Amino acid sequence: MTKIDDVARLAGVSPATVSRALRGLPTVSAATRSRVLAAAEQLQYAVSPSASRLAGGRTGTVAVVVPRITRWFFGVVVEAAEDFFHRAGYDLLLHNLGGREQNRQRVLHATHLHKRVDAIMLVATPLRATDVTALAALDLPGVTISSGTTVPGWPCVRIDDVAAARTATRHLLDLGHRRIAHISGDPDDELAFSAHLDRRRGHQEALRAAGLQPDPSLDVESSFDIAGGTRATEELLRRGDPPTAIFAACDEMAMGALTALRDAGLRVPQDVSVIGIDDHALSGVLGLSTIAQPAAEQGRLAAQLLLDPLCGRALDADVSKPDASVILDTRLVVRDSTAPARAN
């Protein structure tokens, strides 16, 4: 196996000069660089990427932290970000908190990331004040996605969850529905996806704008997944006088609602209309109306915001501020699960 010393001997320079020449540093003359490159090619010497990065003070790795990797949104975001990192020559170090407090402490509060990564991406990870302090102490660039908490100096990529929820509820109102239920995430779960709080606010704003007061009996909290949507809808039906429409805070909860309604002998949308938020990969198959959000684009753009400064490239004009909040558009997608309310 060829070593850097072999290249140095053939080129007639020191190993340190070989290293500088192969890294493209300006302290090496053009003639010397050509001689080193010719020797390296002749000996088929390949630079170790990890050694080259460490020599330049870089690890070539980005840490990505998610609450639960099994959820559709998180998986799509991470896949898009990883593709961008890979094409830029960076590796991804994934930390899945998995709903466990000890994982948060290990990742965010210890020196776990110190000197292991060049930057940090937090995907929908709620942060306490102590978390923000711990992240600032790492003195690393970072970016957040769909987070209700900001980190000083870090940009955030997100959608407007309040506006998305208003659009979903307004769609049901436009169809003539007035008993509109809302099923959303559990606010007591500190490691849960926090966007459901803004989505509840948007839902209630749309109701009030239509002259309706939010009815607590039509608001049920549960886990932010299919099983949670099923449980929440079953609870709604147990309360009697069922709604004519359900707005679920995410498509997975909406899918759970479809299951519970079917099991109760209710037809969608003839008896109950259902709408969610996301445009999950299965939403089209199930005919689920939804508010589509660009999950993959959020991952790609967040990765760009991290890597452009690290790679010495200028950011796009609309995301040039280091602590900018980039808000991406959502859109209403009407499918088979929503229809006009039946006349009483």
Side-chain angles (χ1 to χ4, degrees), residues 62-302:
V62 175
V64 177
V65 182
V66 298
R68 292 179 174 87
I69 192 58
T70 54
R71 303 289 168 78
W72 172 84
F73 175 77
F74 304 141
V76 172
V77 167
V78 169
E79 182 178 28
E82 182 177 29
D83 179 67
F84 193 94
F85 293 146
H86 177 74
R87 287 186 285 109
Y90 276 75
D91 296 324
L92 181 150
L93 178 62
L94 179 65
H95 290 280
N96 176 32
L97 300 184
R100 293 184 289 274
E101 175 62 25
Q102 61 267 33
N103 288 351
R104 176 205 288 269
Q105 294 293 329
R106 182 175 65 89
V107 173
L108 301 182
H109 288 263
T111 57
H112 187 73
L113 299 177
H114 184 57
K115 293 186 177 179
R116 295 187 65 189
V117 299
D118 296 329
I120 304 172
M121 175 186 292
L122 299 180
V123 183
T125 304
L127 299 174
R128 307 184 186 112
T130 53
D131 299 330
V132 175
T133 300
L135 289 168
L138 291 173
D139 194 27
L140 290 172
V143 64
T144 63
I145 299 178
S146 298
S147 175
T149 310
T150 59
V151 179
W154 288 21
C156 177
V157 179
R158 63 184 181 88
I159 64 169
D160 187 334
D161 287 292
V162 176
R166 279 199 301 261
T167 300
T169 302
R170 193 179 300 121
H171 170 62
L172 297 174
L173 290 166
D174 290 345
L175 290 172
H177 295 281
R178 291 300 178 265
R179 284 189 56 77
I180 303 173
H182 180 50
I183 57 176
S184 63
D186 183 359
D188 294 327
D189 183 357
E190 293 186 344
L191 290 180
F193 187 37
S194 60
H196 62 83
L197 300 175
D198 285 337
R199 294 175 187 180
R200 177 183 285 114
R201 180 156 65 93
H203 167 67
Q204 294 178 347
E205 287 180 0
L207 291 178
R208 292 190 178 99
L212 301 173
Q213 285 301 312
D215 183 349
S217 70
L218 294 177
D219 194 325
V220 180
E221 299 161 353
S222 189
S223 57
F224 218 68
D225 53 22
I226 295 175
T230 300
R231 289 192 298 270
T233 305
E234 289 171 345
E235 173 61 26
L236 277 172
L237 298 178
R238 278 194 293 269
R239 293 177 180 181
D241 194 10
T244 65
I246 297 175
F247 163 44
C250 70
D251 279 1
E252 290 183 55
M253 294 194 81
M255 293 173 192
L258 294 177
T259 298
L261 293 169
R262 180 197 63 205
D263 291 347
L266 294 172
R267 299 166 300 164
V268 176
Q270 294 90 337
D271 299 318
V272 182
S273 288
V274 178
I275 189 171
I277 291 181
D278 277 336
D279 203 20
H280 187 288
L282 293 178
S283 295
V285 176
L286 297 174
L288 178 64
S289 294
T290 188
I291 305 298
Q293 66 163 318
E297 177 64 9
Q298 290 178 68
R300 187 205 64 77
L301 181 56

